Amino acid sequence: MATIALYLSLLFALLYTLPSSAQDLPQTPATATYDYVVVGCGIAGLVTSMRLSEDENVSVVCLEAGPFDHYEDSIQIPQFIGRDIGSIYDWNITTTLQTQLDGATRPIPLGRAVGGGSIINGMVWNRGNQDDYNSWQSLGNPGWAWDDLLPYFKKSETFTPIFYEGVAQQPVTFVPDVHGRDGPVSVSYPNYYWPQTDNWFRALNQLGVATVYDPDEGTAAGGYFLASDIQPNNQTRSDARRTYYDPFLGRRNYNVFQNSHVTRILFDNQRQQNDHVSLHATGVEYAADAASPRQTVLARREVILAAGAIHTPQLLQLSGVGPSALLNSLNIPVAQDLPGVGRNLQDHCLVYVNYPCKSNTPFGQSQCLMSNTDQNQSLTTPNECNTNTTFNNEAANEYRTSKTGPWTGMPSSGVAFPSLQQIMPQIPPATSEDLVNLLSAAQGRENWTAYLPSTYDASLRLGYEVQLSTLLPRLSQNITPAWEQAELS
Ligand SMILES: Cc1cc2nc3c(=O)[nH]c(=O)nc-3n(C[C@H](O)[C@H](O)[C@H](O)COP(=O)(O)OP(=O)(O)OC[C@H]3O[C@@H](n4cnc5c(N)ncnc54)[C@H](O)[C@@H]3O)c2cc1C
Ligand SMILES: *[C@@H]1O[C@H](CO)[C@@H](O)[C@H](O)[C@H]1NC(C)=O
Ligand SMILES: *[C@@H]1O[C@H](CO)[C@@H](O)[C@H](O)[C@H]1NC(C)=O
Ligand SMILES: *[C@@H]1O[C@H](CO)[C@@H](O)[C@H](O)[C@H]1NC(C)=O
Ligand SMILES: *[C@@H]1O[C@H](CO)[C@@H](O)[C@H](O)[C@H]1NC(C)=O
Ligand SMILES: *[C@@H]1O[C@H](CO)[C@@H](O)[C@H](O)[C@H]1NC(C)=O
Ligand SMILES: *[C@@H]1O[C@H](CO)[C@@H](O)[C@H](O)[C@H]1NC(C)=O
């Protein structure tokens, strides 16, 4: 372990002293004009910038609050997934105090680097269900249905179905038609299969959660063996920076500025047409940090916001676009009163429930749902990397020399997105009528608005009602995933 730590810190120190690309050099003129100014160089920002700059006559700048990474192991090697949560590549923000939980805050990890969330995320390559996208379209967004998006999903990936031989018995299969063959992101599988993953799928099956095959088809709920965004040849992360930026360093019309936190969108005079306020974005202000002078960059054509689900509405509010009462309370001049900006955030929560199933744990066997005969003391779990130095050293060596073994897959590629129907029968004597009742209760019928903050505008309440009436009938279908269940160490 000491040797690895030394090796890693030397490598880190060495990499840290090297500029990671030409973009690390000072290059920003005080005011510059581009055709497109993209705010935030995460997944959406880099994809948009790369695609727009395919036209050599169009100039694009993407402004990113965070830095370029330095190709650290913690980013590139799957074994280290999770390690950069709370690092220099995380915004480190938290929720407000949660009165309905225990009064405390909870962390909200968010990538802050060129590449955004794809630098620190779990590398799970999955799509939503067809029905989700079809609902987007039916809510008034033509062009966003599954059939419209599938060509773009395929365009983003080079799917390489190479399976570790130890996985031969396992539920790994794929539907060729829904995968791409020559897109920027490498999508494949880890070169290892944790033995516990068999048990995990067996346990799901016993609970009534079926194992389903290619989740990227978007038609089923259940347990999946998912692909990762991983380079199959060397088992490293295939993130947005390494796929939509690094290969295009030679494009002079594609610029990325790191350490450039956008503080305000600049608008020209409001134009009134039939009482309608129309704002026209002309550029943005940005700065390296709170103490640095603000700089300006102008857009000939468009300013494109891609700062993520939390910071895009924040930036709009700081620029005067948002609920007027809120903006007034903060002395921000109102450019446009838009009650929905920064409201109704819905996130994907993560709850860990760990039952160690080895007899030498402090919990003892009685805590374990398996019978004694099912217990397999020789089963290797991902936790072995943290608790057994010999095992971890061997795994590190195997990874460095042959790009195989436990370091290629952490914690595992088993993920479940069960439907409510799959889970409900486990609460006897549940029936489909119980499911209907559950969903009606969720809607709260006439009283559901009581659960929304009193400051919410009527238009928001209406939107929430439409959302519920779209979502709840779908949650009663067996093909609709209701939440994520992951296999951990
Ligand atoms: C810990 C973690 C694990 C995850 N695991 C998975 C997974 O396994 N599979 C999966 O599919 N998804 C996963 N996700 C979610 C996925 O990474 C996000 O959905 C995705 O990154 C969102 O892309 P985006 O472009 O909208 O935003 P982001 O990728 O977050 O990009 C937004 C960018 O804008 C920058 N920015 C913000 N404000 C400003 C500003 N004012 N000025 C300039 N720049 C700004 C940010 O620094 C960031 O780089 C995970 C996310 C996290 C955090
Ligand atoms: C870019 O502009 C040049 C000169 O006007 C033109 O010849 C060329 O075709 C243009 N390229 C594209 C991709 O439009
Ligand atoms: C997040 O916290 C870590 C650990 O304290 C720190 O190193 C990092 O700089 C923080 N990130 C930001 C964006 O402040
Ligand atoms: C992994 O392989 C890809 C594709 O060949 C290459 O671009 C990348 O530099 C390699 N990464 C590492 C860390 O070896
Ligand atoms: C225990 O696990 C090992 C390794 O995966 C396997 O070879 C063996 O058959 C398992 N034993 C039982 C009783 O399941
Ligand atoms: C630690 O890992 C080594 C190598 O895989 C193995 O031989 C040994 O039994 C493990 N030790 C424990 C305590 O599990
Ligand atoms: C709705 O709220 C009213 C007033 O608080 C209450 O009397 C009624 O029972 C509630 N209805 C439901 C279905 O919860």
Side-chain angles (χ1 to χ4, degrees):
M1 195 61 177
T3 326
I4 292 188
L6 182 63
Y7 172 77
L8 289 177
S9 59
L10 281 176
L11 186 70
F12 190 80
L14 177 68
L15 288 174
Y16 226 82
T17 57
L18 299 172
S20 56
S21 79
Q23 269 60 21
D24 275 10
L25 304 171
Q27 57 173 328
T28 323
T31 302
T33 303
Y34 298 83
D35 292 314
Y36 295 95
V37 173
V38 179
V39 179
C41 315
I43 300 177
L46 288 182
V47 171
T48 305
S49 302
M50 188 283 253
R51 295 280 283 116
L52 285 168
S53 62
E54 279 174 6
D55 181 341
E56 63 191 333
N57 294 333
V58 159
S59 61
V60 180
V61 67
C62 188
L63 303 176
E64 168 55 47
F68 278 99
D69 69 78
H70 297 79
Y71 301 90
E72 294 93 324
D73 283 353
S74 63
I75 288 172
Q76 297 201 101
I77 302 180
Q79 153 66 12
F80 298 123
I81 284 173
R83 194 164 290 196
D84 276 325
I85 293 174
S87 78
I88 56 163
Y89 302 124
D90 186 349
W91 282 88
N92 296 338
I93 60 173
T94 60
T95 65
T96 53
L97 299 173
Q98 295 298 292
T99 46
Q100 307 301 328
L101 201 48
D102 53 9
T105 65
R106 288 294 184 287
I108 305 178
L110 276 184
R112 185 177 180 276
V114 176
S118 73
I119 299 289
I120 65 167
N121 74 16
M123 294 174 64
V124 172
W125 186 257
N126 57 330
R127 299 175 186 156
N129 250 34
Q130 295 194 9
D131 212 26
D132 294 345
Y133 305 106
N134 294 340
S135 302
W136 289 1
Q137 169 155 292
S138 60
L139 289 170
N141 304 290
W144 290 87
W146 169 265
D147 287 343
D148 302 308
L149 295 179
L150 183 59
Y152 296 100
F153 290 150
K154 290 165 75 169
K155 187 173 185 158
S156 70
E157 68 173 354
T158 293
F159 181 70
T160 309
I162 293 174
F163 301 126
Y164 173 66
E165 56 187 29
V167 93
Q169 307 292 317
Q170 302 316 316
V172 179
T173 187
F174 64 99
V175 178
D177 284 357
V178 300
H179 288 289
R181 300 284 159 191
D182 53 9
V185 182
S186 294
V187 177
S188 192
Y189 294 87
N191 240 327
Y192 185 70
Y193 187 84
W194 290 97
Q196 67 163 16
T197 303
D198 283 347
N199 287 348
W200 190 74
F201 279 111
R202 267 203 305 156
L204 283 175
N205 294 167
Q206 279 174 18
L207 289 168
V209 179
T211 304
V212 292
Y213 296 101
D214 196 335
D216 289 339
E217 231 188 341
T219 53
Y224 307 105
F225 191 80
L226 279 160
S228 304
D229 52 328
I230 192 170
Q231 283 280 348
N233 62 327
N234 56 22
Q235 300 276 298
T236 57
R237 183 186 290 264
S238 184
D239 55 81
R241 185 247 168 114
R242 266 149 285 270
T243 56
Y244 281 85
Y245 177 73
D246 282 356
F248 306 98
L249 275 171
R251 268 191 204 168
R252 306 185 68 88
N253 59 333
Y254 178 7
N255 305 279
V256 170
F257 295 169
Q258 65 174 343
N259 304 325
S260 301
H261 186 137
V262 175
T263 50
R264 193 157 69 100
I265 307 160
L266 304 171
F267 295 109
D268 67 6
N269 291 335
Q270 302 178 7
R271 286 167 294 160
Q272 304 268 357
Q273 289 172 350
N274 311 331
D275 255 3
H276 184 73
V277 182
S278 140
L279 290 180
H280 177 236
T282 55
V284 301
E285 262 180 18
Y286 68 100
D289 51 48
S292 301
R294 306 262 167 116
Q295 291 176 286
T296 300
V297 68
L298 299 177
R300 260 186 296 268
R301 296 193 188 176
E302 288 180 30
V303 172
I304 296 169
L305 301 187
I310 290 182
H311 291 107
T312 286
Q314 183 207 26
L315 180 59
L316 282 166
Q317 290 181 350
L318 290 171
S319 310
V321 178
S324 56
L326 175 72
L327 301 186
N328 287 333
S329 74
L330 297 166
N331 291 324
I332 297 172
V334 179
Q336 185 155 350
D337 178 21
L338 270 189
V341 174
R343 302 293 199 216
N344 202 18
L345 174 73
Q346 296 179 30
D347 204 353
H348 170 162
C349 300
L350 177 63
V351 178
Y352 283 80
V353 184
N354 266 359
Y355 291 99
C357 283
K358 282 189 176 177
S359 54
N360 59 357
T361 66
F363 297 90
Q365 297 196 5
S366 60
Q367 292 287 329
C368 189
L369 292 175
M370 290 185 201
S371 70
N372 283 343
T373 49
D374 273 354
Q375 284 214 21
N376 191 331
Q377 300 298 328
S378 68
L379 218 54
T380 310
T381 72
N383 202 33
E384 208 80 2
C385 290
N386 306 321
T387 56
N388 183 339
T389 309
T390 312
F391 180 88
N392 193 50
N393 286 348
E394 284 173 8
N397 190 46
E398 187 181 350
Y399 183 85
R400 307 261 180 223
T401 54
S402 65
K403 305 296 176 194
T404 59
W407 272 32
T408 68
M410 190 67 177
S412 138
S413 297
V415 179
F417 294 92
S419 67
L420 286 179
Q421 273 192 28
Q422 286 168 336
I423 295 300
M424 286 294 285
Q426 304 313 312
I427 316 165
T431 62
S432 55
E433 200 183 313
D434 293 328
L435 182 55
V436 170
N437 290 339
L438 177 83
L439 294 171
S440 307
Q443 187 157 17
R445 291 296 182 210
E446 66 264 35
N447 285 358
W448 57 268
T449 56
Y451 299 100
L452 295 179
S454 59
T455 51
Y456 269 30
D457 185 83
S459 63
L460 272 171
R461 290 166 183 273
L462 203 58
Y464 194 70
E465 188 168 25
V466 173
Q467 183 185 359
L468 278 182
S469 63
T470 306
L471 187 61
L472 295 181
R474 286 179 168 77
L475 281 173
S476 67
Q477 299 172 15
N478 202 29
I479 63 162
T480 306
W483 71 84
E484 176 177 359
Q485 216 167 298
E487 177 200 353
L488 295 167
S489 42

